[in-house]
Amino acid sequence: MFTSALKTFFPNLKEEYIEADSIEALLSELEKKHHGIQGYLVDEKGQIREHVKFYIDNEPYDIKVHTELKKSAQIHIIQAISGG
């Protein structure tokens, strides 16, 4: 599941099944389907951006790109909007 903020930049985003054994693999697959999305989620150092949150099976996680995933995990990617 993706927030509407991400769908603004990537209108073809939709809930789908992606086989991945880690967040890194998940992000790689998303990048293949939605070129440029990884730049919104990961910084120049390869770390998850501060304003991006992942929920795994409806639980919030402070994850790293190497976080492993179980096969049946449901992932929600939330990108906060900030500004003033």
Side-chain angles (χ1 to χ4, degrees):
M1 182 160 119
F2 302 96
T3 59
S4 58
L6 279 173
K7 290 180 182 178
T8 299
F9 300 104
F10 304 95
N12 294 328
L13 277 176
K14 64 183 183 307
E15 190 172 319
E16 61 184 298
Y17 175 81
I18 296 176
E19 193 167 322
D21 60 1
S22 68
I23 294 297
E24 186 174 38
L26 174 67
L27 294 173
S28 178
E29 289 301 313
L30 283 173
E31 181 66 21
K32 288 177 189 175
K33 295 178 178 204
H34 308 284
H35 182 68
I37 194 168
Q38 202 161 358
Y40 281 86
L41 305 175
V42 178
D43 67 18
E44 309 77 38
K45 297 177 184 175
Q47 302 300 312
I48 303 295
R49 291 189 182 277
E50 183 180 346
H51 61 278
V52 174
K53 304 298 179 212
F54 283 73
Y55 284 70
I56 302 175
D57 296 326
N58 295 319
E59 294 293 326
Y61 275 83
D62 181 26
I63 63 164
K64 308 296 181 212
V65 292
H66 299 294
T67 299
E68 293 184 11
L69 297 172
K70 59 184 180 181
K71 190 170 185 161
S72 63
Q74 182 180 20
I75 311 299
H76 293 166
I77 301 174
I78 310 298
Q79 181 189 30
I81 300 289
S82 61

